[in-house]
């Protein structure tokens, strides 16, 4: 079944791109907010919660964006991506998340990201 693509944006006042980038790409950073444990071998990331899932990095540009694809994803177009950009008007740093969800599950997926990003903000001291 084809998944539905969605974007969400979160504003981070007074956070450096480098600090945010480290929380989106390193084992220590990701385990602080995204998963209980993260193991990285080259471009293969293993995320551990009560279960385990693996994702590969399919594209990235340091301190700008990183795109992951779940190894067991059946929809070849699906991925999840973090994009960091600066809002020119305010100078704030923004995190844009692109993800895909099953039809009818978009609201639940957004709620999960909202919760995860709240944890991210706490780990960043925001």
């Amino acid at each position: 079944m084809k998944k539905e693509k969605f974007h969400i944006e979160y504003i981070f006042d007074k956070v450096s791109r480098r600090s945010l980038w480290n929380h989106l790409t390193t084992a220590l950073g990701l385990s602080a907010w995204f998963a209980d444990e993260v193991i990285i071998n080259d471009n293969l990331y293993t995320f551990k919660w009560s279960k385990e899932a693996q994702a590969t990095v399919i594209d990235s540009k340091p301190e700008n964006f990183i795109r992951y694809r779940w190894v067991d994803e059946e929809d070849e177009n699906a991925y999840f991506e973090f994009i960091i950009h600066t809002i020119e008007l305010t100078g704030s740093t923004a995190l844009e998340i692109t993800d895909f969800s099953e039809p009818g599950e978009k609201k639940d997926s957004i709620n999960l990201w909202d919760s995860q990003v709240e944890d991210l903000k706490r780990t960043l001291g925001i």
Side-chain angles (χ1 to χ4, degrees):
M1 179 175 286
K2 187 173 165 97
K3 291 189 172 183
E4 187 178 328
K5 184 178 185 178
F6 65 92
H7 304 277
I8 10 180
E9 185 175 70
Y10 302 94
I11 308 301
F12 293 77
D13 289 321
K14 299 178 180 83
V15 68
S16 75
R17 289 174 81 97
R18 174 163 288 161
S19 180
L20 183 53
W21 178 254
N22 287 337
H23 278 77
L24 303 175
T25 61
T26 67
L28 184 62
L30 286 163
S31 64
W33 70 280
F34 187 73
D36 296 332
E37 183 182 355
V38 180
I39 300 167
I40 303 171
N41 286 323
D42 294 322
N43 278 343
L44 181 66
Y45 284 59
T46 302
F47 299 98
K48 296 182 180 183
W49 300 275
S50 57
K51 61 177 186 159
E52 185 176 294
Q54 293 184 313
T56 56
V57 174
I58 54 175
D59 200 5
S60 72
K61 182 177 178 187
E63 295 187 27
N64 285 289
F65 78 93
I66 188 162
R67 181 178 291 182
Y68 297 95
R69 184 175 180 349
W70 294 113
V71 170
D72 62 355
E73 179 59 62
E74 293 176 12
D75 183 340
E76 68 265 2
N77 296 315
Y79 59 87
F80 65 103
E81 179 178 61
F82 301 120
I83 300 171
I84 302 170
H85 61 90
T86 303
I87 299 173
E88 289 188 31
L89 198 58
T90 64
S92 297
T93 300
L95 173 64
E96 183 181 334
I97 298 174
T98 301
D99 199 0
F100 290 74
S101 66
E102 297 289 342
E105 294 181 7
K106 181 178 172 183
K107 185 177 180 183
D108 290 338
S109 295
I110 290 172
N111 287 338
L112 178 59
W113 279 117
D114 287 347
S115 173
Q116 294 292 95
V117 170
E118 282 304 311
D119 290 343
L120 173 59
K121 285 181 175 183
R122 264 193 304 284
T123 66
L124 289 166
I126 299 172

